[in-house]
Amino acid sequence: MNPDASTIAAGAPIEVDLSPVAEGQDIKVFWRGKPIYISHRTKKQIDEARAVNVASLPDPQTDEARVKAGHEQWLVVIGICTHLGCIPIAHEGNYDGFFCPCHGSQYDSSGRIRQGPAPANLPVPPYQFVSDTKIQIG
Amino acid sequence: MSGPSDYQPSNPALQWIERRLPILGLMHSSFVVYPTPRNLNYWWTFGAILSFMLGMQILTGVILAMHYTPHADLAFKSVELIVRDVNFGWLLRNMHACGASMFFFAVYVHMLRGLYYGSYKEPREVLWILGVIIYLLMMATGFMGYVLPWGQMSFWGATVITNLFSAIPYVGESIVTLLWGGYSVGNPTLNRFFSLHYLLPFLIAGVVVLHVWALHVAGQNNPDGVEPKTEKDTVPFTPHATIKDMFGVSCFLLLYAWFIFYMPNYLGDADNYIPANPGVTPPHIVPEWYYLPFYAILRSIPNKLAGVIGMFSAIIILCFLPWLDAAKTRSSKYRPLAKQFFWIFVAVCILLGYLGAQPPEGIYVIAGRVLTVCYFAYFLIVLPLLSRIETPRPVPNSISEAILSKGGKAVASVMVAIVAAGALFLGSMQDARASEGSDQPPGNKWSFSGPFGKFDRGALQRGLKVYKEVCASCHGLSFIAFRNLGDPGGPGYSVAQVAAFASDYKVKDGPNDAGDMFERPGRAADYFPSPFPNEQAARAANGGAAPPDLSLITKARSYKRGFPWFIFDFFTQYQEQGPDYVAAVLQGFEEKVPEGVTIPEGSYYNKYFPGHAIKMPKPLSDGQVTYDDGSPTTVAQYAKDVTTFLMWTAEPHMEARKRLGFQVFVFLIIFAGLMYFTKKKVWADSH
Ligand code: FES
């Protein structure tokens, strides 16, 4: 009952052009049927994400570990709440990040869980920059 | 099922069969001469009710499956087509959907009865555990069935519930992928759920056979909890229990029919009339009502794994009940303390159910935690403790003795029920909307409300005109064909009028012999064309918000009624939240934005739209559409007419539903009465 061949084939990597995404905006693309949030973070959001004491987080991870060096303004995360799988809303909640409407989990501008029942940070999908304005997810 | 039978059929052909397969003897000894305790009350008829419901669900389900398409792109539409086009499809669907709720309602009564009268105690432990297994299978079946219509709640319910398994350490993620057959809930998930939803009821039926078998080995428990000792303590199953069960079932059918014919959507969620959209989570995900207590337990534990464990153990704990409660006295009738705690437990379950439907914030979370503790405390602390410290009242020596000393207790409980129902009914009579002045849509007088409601033909025709001249430029009506305009119970056009109406439209057809698509005038069988070729185009042309299709809008929109209104609504049959909301939004545009509200660029202020910022500009203004029948051409009248029309598009067979409902009610009431008097006669010398 595991995914069949065509489902796996349709899950191949995709390329996304980032040039139309202005600072402070984000887009949602679908990969493997999952929504992926790509946010162009503002300076303020980056600073906030880096200012927290990592050890105090429920799922400790530095912001540096969640973005690609040299492309700090881009946050790419799978937009599926790690609690029970709802889609969090971007730019909501108390941490300038994401807010899950289902059971009230809140994520910060690095996609890390800060409050609520979700146990883990929003996962970062495998991706790399193929050029300065284009990434490949998968 | 109780030992070899000495039953001998008189017909030689049957004798021939009986010698080779003693099935008639089995039936005879299990359901005819089988001795049942004389003192059973009506709570014992729920066993028969449940068997009846299982049969009903299988029967309607098999027919529905003949018309249903399990595909992510087609499932939603195929369900709508069942309701609209299949002969009595609306009836089948209502029976199946409401049937699930009724099935669970009956199973909860049945379980609580077992709990109250100690039916799980020695020697009925296996009987009880088989029952818990049936209940678990029912929950799985019900959940998968809810996914099949592939609406928003189906999809997101499936996502949330399957994700429960991701809480299992190490293997969780792989289990979830295995359940989905993909990387998220999608078409493979729907397909396998359909397959399993078809399979599980037959497994349930199999376990029910075991359940009944175990019951017939141990014998039925009874309200006094003493085993039958002599002949005098029992009566033969047929006719005594049979006729009593028939009366119980027919009363239950009255309740069932109330939902089928008058409140089919009362127990459902408006969001499930919106097709599944993997990109948008509805703001408030709730499971079906019968899972709510467990959902509340899940949410009140602030840790994912612990929450999932808590939820499942809330059910599994029932299996251990026979050993948690070691009291010798079975029936709570003779256990003064256990009786009180039982009712507290029932209240805890109902409150948990209420909390499960509330948003997980503030006071609700705290109350949820307290009640979760109470729930488990009942099983883990109260019951074991009571069996040590409680002194039960003396139990009668035999069933006949218990019957002789019976007082007027039953009368008292009937009185309580009548007073409670009366109070609710009185409350519902004064339909004054308590929340005047807030953003609740104001109530309207609709011609189609109530048990005898009918659509106002004039309003339907005027509403169609408004739709065609105003709404149709942005909103589709994709489930309605032109032919529907001539259907009975609709706007009432003749065949010729329908053809003329259809030919005004250009419909894309093809490919022709040359392989090209071409346009031709519409025919009666064509559907209303959509104003945009696809959702993206609709989104792009409207500033990012796609105008929703209007076929189902009056059923897909609602607003929160809240406690206690939703209880009154059951009695008043109020189910016009959707139309009230649609009419209110159409009239809720205001030029002046009230202070403290900011409306983003490109949006408009609407008093009744959730969040107040609506992308649709004010669609109606006075005099915009001309009416030939002299009705006032005001926004209020337009809104009313078009809403009536949209109520018809959402529920084209509503008049047939209510008409048939009345006939069914007359029949059921007479039938139940006959059953009651037959039962009285049969039992005349057994009491
Ligand atoms: S799914 Fe997001 S908080 Fe539960």
Side-chain angles (χ1 to χ4, degrees):
Chain A
M1 297 211 298
N2 260 325
D4 63 14
S6 70
T7 312
I8 295 173
I14 54 163
E15 287 198 348
V16 185
D17 181 14
L18 303 180
S19 44
V21 191
E23 185 170 311
Q25 276 192 337
D26 43 22
I27 54 168
K28 192 160 72 177
V29 297
F30 276 86
W31 177 65
R32 293 190 163 181
K34 296 181 173 151
I36 310 252
Y37 275 113
I38 305 177
S39 338
H40 193 164
R41 301 190 291 177
T42 59
K43 181 92 182 45
K44 176 164 160 280
Q45 282 180 306
I46 303 176
D47 291 345
E48 274 170 0
R50 307 217 152 167
V52 288
N53 172 9
V54 174
S56 70
L57 296 174
D59 181 10
Q61 232 185 347
T62 60
D63 184 55
E64 285 83 353
R66 296 176 54 81
V67 296
K68 301 273 180 227
H71 302 282
E72 283 79 14
Q73 70 274 42
W74 295 104
L75 175 74
V76 182
V77 286
I78 298 182
I80 293 185
C81 181
T82 55
H83 182 227
L84 293 174
C86 295
I87 300 188
I89 305 164
H91 296 300
E92 265 192 45
N94 302 336
Y95 300 94
D96 226 352
F98 304 86
F99 170 76
C100 179
C102 287
H103 315 101
S105 290
Q106 306 205 14
Y107 300 88
D108 66 10
S109 54
S110 185
R112 290 172 300 195
I113 179 67
R114 299 293 285 270
Q115 196 184 317
N121 301 335
L122 292 179
V124 178
Y127 73 98
Q128 63 263 356
F129 279 83
V130 282
S131 75
D132 260 356
T133 56
K134 195 176 250 180
I135 58 170
Q136 186 194 47
I137 302 178
Chain B
M1 290 186 189
S2 44
S5 158
D6 46 10
Y7 172 74
Q8 268 306 323
S10 46
N11 182 313
L14 293 181
Q15 277 173 5
W16 187 89
I17 295 177
E18 187 65 14
R19 257 192 320 253
R20 285 154 183 84
L21 179 72
I23 188 163
L24 292 170
L26 182 71
M27 289 295 155
H28 187 80
S29 59
S30 310
F31 298 111
V32 180
V33 290
Y34 180 76
T36 66
R38 257 173 71 182
N39 57 342
L40 297 190
N41 55 30
Y42 277 106
W43 298 116
W44 261 263
T45 58
F46 276 85
I49 290 171
L50 284 164
S51 322
F52 172 80
M53 286 312 299
L54 177 63
M56 205 66 169
Q57 290 300 87
I58 292 183
L59 187 72
T60 51
V62 167
I63 302 175
L64 285 172
M66 296 176 188
H67 299 282
Y68 170 77
T69 318
H71 186 283
D73 296 336
L74 306 171
F76 186 86
K77 185 154 192 201
S78 81
V79 171
E80 269 312 307
L81 294 185
I82 288 175
V83 172
R84 285 156 199 270
D85 290 343
V86 173
N87 295 320
F88 288 100
W90 59 268
L91 179 60
L92 284 172
R93 199 225 167 172
N94 287 354
M95 281 167 81
H96 198 72
C98 302
S101 284
M102 290 290 102
F103 201 173
F104 273 96
F105 171 68
V107 93
Y108 283 134
V109 174
H110 192 65
M111 289 162 75
L112 288 174
R113 190 268 285 150
L115 199 59
Y116 184 82
Y117 291 114
S119 302
Y120 46 86
K121 292 190 183 184
E122 209 273 328
R124 299 189 179 83
E125 297 93 333
V126 172
L127 173 63
W128 173 261
I129 292 173
L130 284 169
V132 177
I133 293 174
I134 295 175
Y135 175 56
L136 278 174
L137 286 172
M138 276 177 66
M139 292 186 99
T141 314
F143 157 64
M144 290 195 255
Y146 193 56
V147 174
L148 300 184
W150 211 239
Q152 272 290 67
M153 272 304 157
S154 304
F155 183 92
W156 289 100
T159 303
V160 168
I161 302 293
T162 47
N163 263 311
L164 291 177
F165 294 93
S166 70
I168 304 170
Y170 308 115
V171 289
E173 294 295 331
S174 348
I175 292 180
V176 173
T177 311
L178 199 71
L179 286 174
W180 288 339
Y183 303 111
S184 56
V185 173
N187 193 46
T189 323
L190 177 59
N191 266 302
R192 61 193 54 191
F193 277 18
F194 177 55
S195 164
L196 292 174
H197 182 70
Y198 204 105
L199 168 72
L200 289 187
F202 297 99
L203 286 188
I204 295 180
V207 186
V208 165
V209 170
L210 296 182
H211 190 68
V212 173
W213 186 9
L215 173 73
H216 284 215
V217 170
Q220 280 166 293
N221 185 26
N222 59 70
D224 293 293
V226 287
E227 297 294 337
K229 295 196 176 93
T230 59
E231 283 270 306
K232 280 206 328 240
D233 290 342
T234 62
V235 287
F237 192 88
T238 303
H240 292 80
T242 327
I243 198 74
K244 198 167 176 176
D245 285 347
M246 295 262 276
F247 175 59
V249 170
S250 43
C251 290
F252 190 77
L253 278 177
L254 279 168
L255 177 67
Y256 185 17
W258 184 265
F259 283 108
I260 296 177
F261 294 105
Y262 296 125
M263 326 270 305
N265 296 310
Y266 178 72
L267 296 167
D269 199 297
D271 274 330
N272 225 24
Y273 281 107
I274 305 172
N277 180 352
V280 183
T281 314
H284 188 175
I285 296 191
V286 267
E288 288 283 76
W289 69 268
Y290 33 87
Y291 304 126
L292 286 174
F294 303 106
Y295 193 61
I297 291 178
L298 168 79
R299 293 197 312 193
S300 40
I301 302 179
N303 172 293
K304 180 171 169 180
L305 182 58
V308 173
I309 292 176
M311 181 172 106
F312 281 111
S313 41
I315 305 167
I316 300 301
I317 202 165
L318 292 172
C319 285
F320 299 97
L321 192 54
W323 295 278
L324 288 171
D325 176 14
K328 286 278 162 302
T329 312
R330 284 208 191 99
S331 170
S332 297
K333 216 168 149 183
Y334 302 103
R335 300 179 60 191
L337 286 176
K339 191 194 242 166
Q340 287 173 21
F341 279 106
F342 170 82
W343 289 111
I344 295 176
F345 175 72
V346 172
V348 165
C349 291
I350 292 174
L351 285 175
L352 273 174
Y354 176 72
L355 289 178
Q358 303 308 314
E361 336 164 302
I363 179 75
Y364 294 130
V365 179
I366 300 175
R369 292 196 182 141
V370 173
L371 290 172
T372 303
V373 171
C374 295
Y375 181 95
F376 284 105
Y378 178 73
F379 291 105
L380 296 176
I381 302 174
V382 174
L383 284 182
L385 204 64
L386 279 187
S387 53
R388 305 240 151 77
I389 61 167
E390 187 182 31
T391 12
R393 300 202 344 251
V395 172
N397 286 319
S398 71
I399 290 177
S400 353
E401 194 189 299
I403 292 177
L404 287 179
S405 63
K406 193 161 135 189
K409 283 288 287 293
V411 184
S413 55
V414 169
M415 286 300 285
V416 170
I418 289 177
V419 168
L424 281 177
F425 189 69
L426 274 185
S428 60
M429 292 304 282
Q430 32 182 293
D431 202 350
R433 233 155 276 260
S435 46
E436 273 305 332
S438 73
D439 298 339
Q440 291 271 45
N444 294 283
K445 272 220 77 59
W446 298 109
S447 63
F448 48 81
S449 65
F452 302 105
K454 280 199 174 18
F455 290 116
D456 170 355
R457 304 274 162 252
L460 285 182
Q461 299 189 356
R462 293 192 299 269
L464 172 63
K465 194 156 192 271
V466 175
Y467 168 75
K468 190 180 170 191
E469 290 178 19
V470 183
C471 322
S473 54
C474 299
H475 293 277
L477 200 62
S478 53
F479 292 121
I480 299 295
F482 298 123
R483 67 185 155 85
N484 294 131
L485 299 175
D487 285 349
Y493 286 118
S494 68
V495 177
Q497 280 170 313
V498 169
F501 186 91
S503 61
D504 280 354
Y505 283 83
K506 290 265 163 289
V507 174
K508 198 159 192 178
D509 201 349
N512 60 15
D513 287 348
D516 300 323
M517 304 300 278
F518 59 92
E519 281 202 337
R520 59 164 174 77
R523 302 185 194 123
D526 290 322
Y527 284 81
F528 273 85
S530 291
F532 299 101
N534 52 49
E535 207 200 306
Q536 282 73 7
R539 211 175 275 287
N542 288 283
D549 191 271
L550 294 185
S551 319
L552 280 166
I553 201 81
T554 49
K555 286 209 286 191
R557 294 290 182 274
S558 184
Y559 61 91
K560 203 166 141 72
R561 291 282 284 169
F563 183 81
W565 293 107
F566 73 90
I567 298 178
F568 300 157
D569 291 346
F570 171 79
F571 294 97
T572 55
Q573 297 188 355
Y574 174 79
Q575 43 183 339
E576 279 78 35
Q577 287 105 311
D580 281 344
Y581 169 80
V582 171
V585 163
L586 287 173
Q587 302 170 70
F589 287 87
E590 273 165 30
E591 289 291 319
K592 224 167 80 310
V593 176
E595 249 168 85
V597 184
T598 48
I599 297 299
E601 191 71 30
S603 296
Y604 303 86
Y605 177 80
N606 189 308
K607 188 156 170 234
Y608 299 109
F609 190 73
H612 300 305
I614 190 168
K615 283 271 184 185
M616 172 171 78
K618 186 172 188 285
L620 296 166
S621 45
D622 288 344
Q624 189 177 3
V625 180
T626 53
Y627 280 158
D628 321 325
D629 62 357
S631 304
T633 54
T634 57
V635 170
Q637 184 68 29
Y638 292 150
K640 199 157 182 195
D641 291 343
V642 81
T643 308
T644 306
F645 173 69
L646 292 175
M647 187 63 216
W648 169 74
T649 63
E651 183 117 27
H653 295 297
M654 190 209 73
E655 290 189 4
R657 163 160 73 79
K658 291 185 173 172
R659 198 174 335 112
L660 186 60
F662 181 67
Q663 294 162 353
V664 167
F665 260 85
V666 170
F667 170 81
L668 279 180
I669 289 172
I670 295 175
F671 185 77
L674 287 178
M675 283 301 125
Y676 178 72
F677 290 114
T678 319
K679 187 236 144 200
K680 266 213 119 92
K681 187 99 186 89
V682 167
W683 282 78
D685 36 58
S686 307
H687 272 312

